[in-house]
């Protein structure tokens, strides 16, 4: 019976691990000339990890990366709160992504590559939109490459709860059987 119980627990563990979704990343290419940005294919909620790279021209001789505006040629960063990474969950207009950051704006990186956590503000899965935060798009060039990764929720998945309950039940059953076996062996009288 113990081998049957062990096999059943192993089988349920394998099934639960197959049902649990894998954490995967999605890459979004967001050109500077699209007013509503580009939507992700996947749907996300809560906090996501974002890695963004890219440099573009948004106004005359000004270039910008995800958070900083650079003079041409790039000599030093200035945060104008404009011509930077735009973000939205609705797809109708982009807002400054820095308003949705978990923590502060990353320090200037001359490579233009930044990794940070973004609070989507969405309780249910929804598409994310990325682009440049601007009013006039006809004079823009360049693009962002955005890598989106859903971070694990602080609430365990149903499969995790099922495995935990089965594990406790299995441990309880083994302790019960050991106690009964110990009682039976002490009840045997040797003559």
């Amino acid at each position: 019976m113990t081998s049957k119980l062990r096999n059943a627990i192993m089988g349920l563990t394998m099934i639960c691990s197959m049902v649990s979704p894998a954490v995967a990343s999605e890459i979004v290419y967001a050109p500077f000339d699209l007013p509503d940005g580009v939507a992700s294919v996947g749907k996300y909620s809560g906090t996501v990890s974002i890695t963004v790279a890219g440099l573009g021209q948004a106004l005359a001789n000004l270039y910008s990366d995800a958070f900083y505006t650079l003079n041409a040629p790039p000599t030093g960063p200035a945060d104008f709160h404009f011509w930077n990474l735009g973000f939205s969950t609705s797809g109708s207009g982009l807002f400054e992504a820095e308003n949705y950051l978990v923590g502060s704006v990353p320090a200037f990186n001359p490579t233009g590559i930044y990794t940070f956590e973004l609070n989507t503000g969405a309780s249910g899965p929804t598409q994310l939109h990325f682009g440049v935060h601007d009013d006039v798009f006809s004079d823009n060039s360049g693009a962002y490459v955005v890598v989106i990764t859903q971070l694990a929720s602080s609430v365990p998945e149903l499969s995790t709860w099922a495995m935990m309950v089965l594990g406790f039940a299995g441990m309880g059953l083994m302790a019960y059987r050991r106690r009964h076996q110990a009682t039976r062996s002490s009840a045997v009288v040797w003559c």
Side-chain angles (χ1 to χ4, degrees):
M1 176 109 171
T2 11
S3 63
K4 287 182 181 179
L5 178 64
R6 188 171 359 127
N7 290 341
I9 291 174
M10 292 290 285
L12 285 171
T13 303
M14 286 176 33
I15 289 170
C16 289
S17 67
M18 287 187 283
V19 171
S20 178
V23 175
S25 296
E26 176 182 353
I27 299 173
V28 175
Y29 179 78
F32 273 33
D33 59 353
L34 300 176
D36 294 327
V38 175
S40 63
V41 174
K43 295 186 175 187
Y44 302 89
S45 63
T47 304
V48 294
S49 174
I50 301 290
T51 299
V52 62
L55 183 69
Q57 188 173 6
L59 178 68
N61 65 345
L62 294 178
Y63 289 82
S64 59
D65 63 15
F67 295 105
Y68 298 93
T69 304
L70 310 166
N71 296 326
T75 54
D79 187 3
F80 289 134
H81 302 283
F82 211 57
W83 308 304
N84 299 335
L85 179 66
F87 164 75
S88 170
T89 56
S90 67
S92 58
L94 297 172
F95 305 99
E96 293 176 54
E98 64 187 59
N99 293 332
Y100 298 89
L101 295 182
V102 176
S104 59
V105 173
F108 175 70
N109 184 350
T111 65
I113 300 171
Y114 300 94
T115 299
F116 54 91
E117 290 182 6
L118 185 120
N119 181 358
T120 64
S123 56
T126 187
Q127 288 181 308
L128 307 180
H129 300 259
F130 292 95
V132 69
H133 179 240
D134 197 354
D135 286 337
V136 179
F137 295 89
S138 59
D139 62 345
N140 293 354
S141 64
Y144 293 125
V145 176
V146 183
V147 180
I148 311 165
T149 306
Q150 177 70 61
L151 295 179
S153 171
S154 59
V155 178
E157 294 181 19
L158 184 59
S159 60
T160 305
W161 282 106
M163 288 191 313
M164 194 167 59
V165 167
L166 285 173
F168 284 132
M171 288 174 29
L173 180 64
M174 289 191 319
Y176 174 79
R177 294 195 74 217
R178 277 194 190 142
R179 197 172 347 135
H180 273 333
Q181 285 178 346
T183 307
R184 281 189 210 154
S185 63
S186 64
V188 175
V189 179
W190 296 97
C191 298

